[in-house]
Amino acid sequence: MHDERRRIEERAERLHTQRIKPAIYAATVPLTVEAWQAPGEPVPFEEAAGAPYEPFAMDTPWGPPWGTTWFRMGGQVPAEWAGKRVETVIDLGFVGDWPGNQAEALVHLPDGRPLKAVNPLNQYVPVAHPAAGGERIDYLVEAASNPDILAGDFSGPTQLGDVLTAGDRPLYTFRRADLAVLDEEVWHLDLDLQVLRELMVHLGEHEPRRHEILHALDRALDALDLDDVSGSAAAVRAVLAPVLAKPAHASAHTLSGVGHAHIDSAWLWPIRETKRKTSRTFSNVTSLAEEYDDFIFACSQAQQYEWVRDNYPHVWARIQESVKKGQWAPVGGMWVEADGNLPGGEAIARQLVHGKRFFIEHFGVETKGVWLPDSFGYTAAYPQLAKLAGNDWFLTQKISWNQTNKFPHHTFWWEGIDGTRIFTHFPPVDTYNARFSGEELARAVRNYSEKGAGTRSLAPFGWGDGGGGPTREIMERARRLADLEGSAKVVVEHPDAFFAKAREEYPDAPVWVGELYLELHRATYTSQARTKQGNRRSEHRLREAELWATTAALHAPGYAYPYEKLDRLWKTVLLHQFHDILPGSSIAWVHREAEAEYARVAVELEELTAQAIAALGAGGARVFNTSPYDRAEVVRTADGVPAYAEVPAGGSAPLTDADPPQPVKVTGRVLDNGLVRVEIAEDGTLSSVFDLRSGREVLAEQGNLLRLHTDLPNYWDAWDIDKHYKNRYTDLLDADSVTVVEEDPLIGAIRVIRSFGKGSTITQTVTVRAGSPRIDFETDIDWHEAEKILKAGFPVDIRAPHSSAEIQFGHVQRPTHTNTSWEAARFEVSGHRWVHIGEPGYGVAVINDSTYGHDVSRTVREDGGTTTTVRLSLVRAPRVPDPEADQGRHRFTYSLLPGASIEDAVAEGYSLNLPLRVADAAGAPEPVVSVSGEGVTVEAVKLADDGSGDVVVRLYESRGGRATGVLRAGFPLAGAHVTDLLERPLETADTDGDGGVFVALRPFQILTLRLGRAADGR
């Protein structure tokens, strides 16, 4: 047989694209269109319905950046179309084929009911099937002219990312608004050809099946009448039917397809636009569910459901109905799909609590898995937190983006830092926006790492990132691919069903221990520093407000615990932990609003804390300690005067003239408090940090070295820091001034001011306080650099085989060597409040109050000693997608803690992030709870969410070893239960009958206790 592949393939390509696709709509008539440009922000339907409209012609430019144009459309179905399938087809002037970041519209009926959305790959609105002919069609269409931020493929900065800078030039040209007849036979022929052609080209040239399809296509196209595509479509399909009917091989891989529409809660659009995106996508999804009984749609992010409930009640009712029918599957059980590394431990717990409760309350559905396809790496604390929230499985996708090493598994058990394991899947289709193309199916089979043990994988299908979701074309592909020779089999099913089958066939799947580190997007630990600082401050202010509100509720008559306010504030903070807000990878508008929201949250939480403390009564200055550790440290009074205070964990004490420890001495550029002696060089760096307790020099070289690196990654500016950043840098060694600014027996401080770069300045106050070996670097940066990163380095004379970095409810250890490509790829890593390095008998910690990114490296000196260097990433200057990212003022503090154990690092991390509070209060009661036992650390104290008055305490083992102790209630105790994260009792806790609860924890174990209050307790 002659090889005619090229001729047949080219023939099929031309006839398919040039003759068959244009014939899908057999007849069209234009609608009349009028337009009204809404001023400013979007308006409700009622306002748009009463607005003055003007005639609008096709091919007219419309839509300023971030604008809203309402179109009034009308027409009549021709009588001769009776019995046909009639649709409205709308083309707003779509660019490309991605629905997420361009023009989108929601079509309403005249009474205000949302009907369906239109986007580039979903341009139709059903009218009648079959049509009676003569029907009147009237729509009011809300069209959003969102700019295409991705235009140019992120090649350069754009001002389109903020309504304040985007201008008002129209972005789109309206192309089409027609009534049309869908020729169903031609439409199905188009889909037959799509599936067969794509399957064919992805089969090997040696495969008989490829050639069988090739020649079937040739024969089928012989049956196509070019002058009557509609009339001959059935004949063409009849020729193709036998090759479409051949069943898949018995050993074919199975893809469990789950409808999906990844909607970033903010990214290249602001939160206000996401609220509208949810209505568009969800109206499309519920419309598709009415058409396809076998359709199942998985949707996460309770926050997005709440937006629809509050703003689009008709769409909300359709979602509720789809859930009842089993076609809509709430998944994920989180308030939003949060970043996987940066939120604090209690914040991730609350993500799970608020998400799961929402789905239980509104749908009667308890989600069973964590759905996080797109976050930028995942903390090793997740398995335990997921299981404690009642989850059985975990799904992610993003690890497929690894820059260096291919992740070895697709189905595996993921083991967290405490030993908890959760069944985890990583779809080999390598996308959460699958369309069931031939390329995707071939890739899923080729990639799948579990061959020989497992036979199935998950494929989330539907357009995403900016929403859109599944289309009827994707569903038709799934039906054709359900059992087709040469292809993987596709079955549309609930993700719970997939995970149950995968676990049943592969119970002994391999185990991955520790974090799921993404070898990409490492700069998300640092970009948009003010957003990250807002999150860190908010998390700690929430802890503080809950503790003192609980104290007041227990002991202050008439005080009402602020359930609603705390719930609302938590949800605001959780929303901004979304995986493109907190990581700093969104447009300018998003981060401008995030900073404003954090400022508002701070004001409200300060008010709540002050009100709770005031409810305890006035009576003189007292010091309040929100930290879970007893503290003896210097605090400033309301007048700024230093004082020394000793305060119990979670409690308060009078501000008295306690006897201070050895005073601080300031001699020239030397600070000495009897514990550490700090010498500052003329250039403002640390020339020496001498630990007077152990008699050893801490530094191997100059410390607090500020190094400015060129920072231009290969592609994703705000997301990435690539290894070559290390090769070009400037050490900031020219100090404008080095000045003693405080010389007090309790505090000694020296200020260093530097100017550099493009008008940037750094003012650092190096502070040593009486009684503490901690050295603080209070930092004020006026930052005007571009494509740079600033790091602060501490080269320590320690031979540390690994570093330890705090994560949620514990810490992880990472090697300091680069023996393998896996270690070398971790050249930038994340941590929370501290990083610790140590050798037997001695350790040093670097503490921070808002920094997450850092690196740890080691070198061997000529004298044979080892220098281990910890460097904090302080601030970056990416230009895409926000050209002004991080510009301006930054204020934060980081600290060096010589002679530190892990427990010291934990305690000082809390202390730096939870400053002692001085307030006028009466003699406050004893702490709500107190804990004995080393390593038992209280993370949260609050009243139970159900309003019962029970006290909920969340604690964990913080050192990495076993811990035992007693938690003692500061109120009459009626009983105690161990609960899950949702505060549902699991078992009765062991008490001593005298207000104490026995606690025994494995390394890094999280324990939630629900404490009942005796009748005589308030």
Side-chain angles (χ1 to χ4, degrees):
M1 181 183 292
H2 298 297
D3 186 353
E4 293 197 276
R5 283 175 298 170
R6 179 175 176 181
R7 175 189 67 80
I8 298 171
E9 289 174 5
E10 290 176 349
R11 181 192 189 197
E13 166 69 22
R14 182 172 188 184
L15 293 181
H16 188 189
T17 58
Q18 295 183 13
R19 298 303 174 91
I20 295 170
K21 281 185 177 296
I24 289 174
Y25 285 109
T28 63
V29 294
L31 295 170
T32 59
V33 181
E34 299 173 299
W36 173 67
Q37 175 68 47
E41 287 297 283
V43 301
F45 174 87
E46 292 74 20
E47 182 177 341
Y53 286 76
E54 297 180 354
F56 185 88
M58 294 301 97
D59 299 318
T60 298
W62 72 279
W66 306 113
T68 301
T69 305
W70 285 81
F71 294 99
R72 192 156 58 196
M73 301 180 183
Q76 190 164 341
V77 177
E80 60 269 24
W81 289 5
K84 301 181 185 295
R85 183 167 182 166
V86 179
E87 299 178 345
T88 301
V89 182
I90 300 172
D91 184 347
L92 301 172
F94 300 120
V95 294
D97 63 359
W98 184 44
N101 195 43
Q102 58 166 294
E104 300 177 69
L106 182 61
V107 179
H108 298 76
L109 293 173
D111 62 3
R113 282 179 294 159
L115 185 60
K116 186 178 174 296
V118 291
N119 60 50
L121 294 163
N122 207 336
Q123 298 183 19
Y124 75 97
V125 179
V127 173
H129 185 211
E135 296 103 323
R136 176 71 192 175
I137 303 303
D138 290 290
Y139 297 137
L140 207 59
V141 180
E142 181 192 31
S145 48
N146 300 329
D148 183 8
I149 304 295
L150 279 176
D153 205 24
F154 280 169
S155 59
T158 175
Q159 295 297 324
L160 290 172
D162 196 328
V163 69
L164 302 179
T165 59
D168 57 6
R169 182 180 63 83
L171 296 175
Y172 301 99
T173 300
F174 209 120
R175 294 199 185 103
R176 182 181 188 184
D178 296 334
L179 287 173
V181 174
L182 179 70
D183 190 321
E184 294 187 76
E185 200 68 46
V186 176
W187 181 65
H188 280 290
L189 173 58
D190 169 57
L191 289 156
D192 291 345
L193 289 170
Q194 286 182 40
V195 169
L196 287 172
R197 289 180 58 210
E198 291 178 4
L199 173 60
M200 175 184 69
V201 299
H202 287 284
L203 288 169
E205 294 183 2
H206 63 284
E207 294 281 352
R209 176 65 165 162
R210 175 170 181 156
H211 298 272
E212 178 187 32
I213 295 172
L214 180 79
H215 289 284
L217 289 172
D218 201 27
R219 292 192 305 273
L221 294 174
D222 287 340
L224 182 68
D225 185 344
L226 300 186
D227 297 319
D228 186 10
V229 172
S230 177
S232 58
V236 179
R237 294 194 70 206
V239 178
L240 295 177
V243 289
L244 281 167
K246 284 198 169 184
H249 297 303
S251 60
H253 184 77
T254 299
L255 268 77
S256 293
V258 181
H260 187 46
H262 189 72
I263 305 178
D264 287 319
S265 290
W267 180 30
L268 305 178
W269 46 86
I271 287 172
R272 71 91 146 138
E273 195 56 33
T274 312
K275 295 178 181 179
R276 301 201 293 178
K277 283 178 176 291
T278 56
S279 69
R280 298 177 198 130
T281 295
F282 295 172
S283 64
N284 281 356
V285 168
T286 52
S287 178
L288 192 64
E290 293 172 1
E291 192 172 354
Y292 290 87
D293 291 339
D294 53 340
F295 174 59
I296 295 177
F297 179 72
C299 185
S300 65
Q301 304 197 79
Q303 171 69 88
Q304 295 183 2
Y305 288 75
E306 185 175 80
W307 286 333
V308 174
R309 183 199 66 189
D310 293 345
N311 299 300
Y312 298 90
H314 294 292
V315 178
W316 172 249
R318 287 157 61 180
I319 292 172
Q320 289 180 308
E321 186 62 29
S322 291
V323 173
K324 288 179 184 177
K325 291 180 179 179
Q327 291 187 277
W328 185 297
V331 294
M334 296 180 70
W335 192 246
V336 296
E337 290 185 13
D339 179 84
N341 288 308
L342 305 181
E346 189 60 25
I348 292 183
R350 303 299 175 94
Q351 289 280 359
L352 292 160
V353 167
H354 283 291
K356 294 201 70 159
R357 279 209 185 120
F358 185 93
F359 295 135
I360 292 170
E361 177 183 351
H362 294 287
F363 302 119
V365 172
E366 179 162 359
T367 56
K368 291 299 182 183
V370 177
W371 183 280
L372 273 180
D374 190 33
S375 292
F376 312 142
Y378 304 90
T379 170
Y382 250 124
Q384 182 179 192
L385 286 164
K387 294 289 283 187
L388 287 174
N391 293 296
D392 298 325
W393 54 261
F394 190 99
L395 177 131
T396 178
Q397 175 63 61
K398 200 71 172 190
I399 303 300
S400 67
W401 286 41
N402 269 6
Q403 199 173 40
T404 304
N405 298 285
K406 180 178 173 61
F407 194 77
H409 313 301
H410 285 104
T411 300
F412 57 99
W413 289 96
W414 181 19
E415 182 179 311
I417 53 174
D418 73 309
T420 298
R421 293 179 178 179
I422 191 164
F423 195 71
T424 302
H425 184 67
F426 165 38
V429 71
D430 276 1
T431 179
Y432 48 82
N433 297 323
R435 302 187 295 282
F436 295 136
S437 67
E439 178 186 4
E440 289 172 346
L441 269 67
R443 180 170 65 243
V445 174
R446 183 174 61 249
N447 269 354
Y448 187 55
S449 300
E450 318 308 322
K451 296 182 185 76
T455 64
R456 60 184 66 245
S457 64
L458 190 72
F461 65 87
W463 294 92
D465 284 331
T471 63
R472 60 186 179 184
E473 288 78 14
I474 301 177
M475 279 301 297
E476 289 291 338
R477 284 171 171 267
R479 286 180 168 182
R480 287 162 174 78
L481 293 164
D483 193 14
L484 182 61
E485 184 186 353
S487 171
K489 294 181 287 187
V490 174
V491 55
V492 177
E493 63 181 347
H494 195 292
D496 285 349
F498 160 76
F499 274 95
K501 293 172 185 176
R503 182 171 176 174
E504 182 180 7
E505 77 169 2
Y506 201 17
D508 57 345
V511 177
W512 180 269
V513 178
E515 64 185 329
L516 293 176
Y517 177 85
L518 178 62
E519 296 174 359
L520 198 72
H521 293 358
R522 303 168 182 90
T524 58
Y525 314 144
T526 305
S527 296
Q528 298 285 3
R530 284 184 293 268
T531 297
K532 290 176 171 59
Q533 185 176 69
N535 175 73
R536 178 78 71 84
R537 296 282 193 276
S538 296
E539 289 179 346
H540 288 82
R541 285 188 173 110
L542 280 161
R543 174 196 179 104
E544 190 172 24
E546 286 183 337
L547 174 64
W548 301 118
T550 302
T551 304
L554 293 173
H555 300 289
Y559 176 83
Y561 190 83
Y563 290 102
E564 184 278 330
K565 290 181 179 179
L566 287 169
D567 180 79
R568 174 174 48 78
L569 290 166
W570 260 115
K571 287 176 179 176
T572 298
V573 174
L574 298 180
L575 165 60
H576 289 85
Q577 292 175 342
F578 179 75
H579 65 250
D580 275 307
I581 303 178
L582 183 53
S585 49
S586 289
I587 56 174
W589 191 348
V590 172
H591 291 289
R592 172 169 59 82
E593 291 192 330
E595 291 177 34
E597 280 293 281
Y598 284 131
R600 183 186 63 77
V601 166
V603 169
E604 282 202 60
L605 287 172
E606 282 296 310
E607 289 175 352
L608 290 180
T609 301
Q611 289 165 4
I613 290 175
L616 298 172
R622 291 186 71 86
V623 185
F624 291 79
N625 174 20
T626 309
S627 164
Y629 289 86
D630 296 343
R631 290 161 75 173
E633 63 186 66
V634 176
V635 64
R636 291 189 186 274
T637 67
D639 298 327
V641 177
Y644 191 75
E646 297 178 354
V647 198
S652 71
L655 181 61
T656 59
D657 295 327
D659 292 332
Q662 186 171 336
V664 179
K665 296 179 181 178
V666 182
T667 307
R669 295 190 304 275
V670 178
L671 305 172
D672 187 330
N673 67 355
L675 302 175
V676 292
R677 184 175 64 244
V678 180
E679 298 181 16
I680 300 178
E682 290 185 11
D683 61 14
T685 61
L686 304 183
S687 57
S688 172
V689 173
F690 196 81
D691 188 337
L692 296 167
R693 298 164 300 172
S694 63
R696 65 183 286 170
E697 173 60 45
V698 175
L699 299 177
E701 303 169 19
Q702 60 195 142
N704 193 36
L705 176 63
L706 298 172
R707 180 168 286 180
L708 186 67
H709 293 263
T710 297
D711 179 23
L712 184 65
N714 291 345
Y715 189 54
W716 300 86
D717 289 23
W719 290 258
D720 286 349
I721 178 171
D722 285 335
K723 207 167 193 174
H724 52 252
Y725 89 91
K726 294 183 177 181
N727 301 334
R728 189 173 181 86
Y729 59 85
T730 300
D731 289 338
L732 304 185
L733 297 175
D734 295 326
D736 299 345
S737 63
V738 180
T739 310
V740 175
V741 293
E742 189 157 17
E743 190 171 356
D744 183 273
L746 294 179
I747 298 180
I750 295 175
R751 182 163 297 154
V752 180
I753 300 176
R754 305 180 189 277
S755 303
F756 64 95
K758 298 180 179 180
S760 299
T761 60
I762 301 177
T763 301
Q764 287 197 308
T765 303
V766 184
T767 304
V768 170
R769 294 173 175 82
S772 173
R774 196 181 84 197
I775 306 153
D776 290 345
F777 302 85
E778 300 168 34
T779 304
D780 187 329
I781 304 179
D782 189 13
W783 179 251
H784 299 285
E785 304 308 298
E787 296 170 348
K788 298 287 191 295
I789 184 170
L790 180 67
K791 285 186 168 258
F794 293 94
V796 179
D797 187 8
I798 282 179
R799 183 172 176 81
H802 60 260
S803 65
S804 299
E806 187 189 40
I807 63 169
Q808 301 84 351
F809 296 106
H811 59 267
V812 292
Q813 294 181 340
R814 301 179 177 112
T816 55
H817 61 73
T818 55
N819 281 358
T820 72
S821 58
W822 292 88
E823 288 124 12
R826 285 174 165 83
F827 59 83
E828 182 80 2
V829 291
S830 66
H832 283 207
R833 290 169 293 212
W834 53 266
V835 181
H836 181 273
I837 55 174
E839 61 189 22
Y842 196 81
V844 170
V846 179
I847 319 288
N848 74 84
D849 71 357
S850 59
T851 300
Y852 295 88
H854 65 276
D855 69 86
V856 181
S857 60
R858 62 198 291 270
T859 58
V860 176
R861 306 186 298 272
E862 289 187 2
D863 65 3
T866 300
T867 300
T868 304
T869 301
V870 178
R871 300 198 309 156
L872 298 181
S873 300
L874 303 182
V875 64
R876 296 187 71 230
R879 302 182 67 207
V880 178
D882 176 6
E884 300 298 320
D886 281 313
Q887 298 300 297
R889 205 70 175 271
H890 300 270
R891 296 182 180 90
F892 51 84
T893 299
Y894 57 89
S895 309
L896 183 69
L897 185 65
S901 64
I902 291 290
E903 190 165 28
D904 294 332
V906 173
E908 290 300 323
Y910 278 110
S911 294
L912 182 63
N913 283 270
L914 291 166
L916 295 174
R917 175 184 291 267
V918 178
D920 183 22
E926 62 181 299
V928 176
V929 294
S930 57
V931 177
S932 65
E934 293 184 358
V936 181
T937 301
V938 174
E939 178 63 16
V941 177
K942 59 190 285 294
L943 289 192
D945 291 340
D946 60 8
S948 64
D950 290 351
V951 175
V952 172
V953 181
R954 190 143 30 243
L955 44 83
Y956 70 106
E957 195 290 313
S958 59
R959 297 182 305 170
R962 294 189 178 274
T964 58
V966 176
L967 180 143
R968 194 161 300 281
F971 54 89
L973 185 67
H977 288 85
V978 176
T979 75
D980 64 5
L981 293 185
L982 278 70
E983 302 171 8
R984 299 177 296 195
L986 300 175
E987 61 183 60
T988 301
D990 189 9
T991 59
D992 64 4
D994 190 29
V997 180
F998 294 110
V999 175
L1001 301 175
R1002 65 179 180 272
F1004 300 130
Q1005 182 183 355
I1006 303 165
L1007 185 68
T1008 304
L1009 293 173
R1010 183 170 182 143
L1011 310 178
R1013 294 156 61 187
D1016 58 345
R1018 209 181 312 277

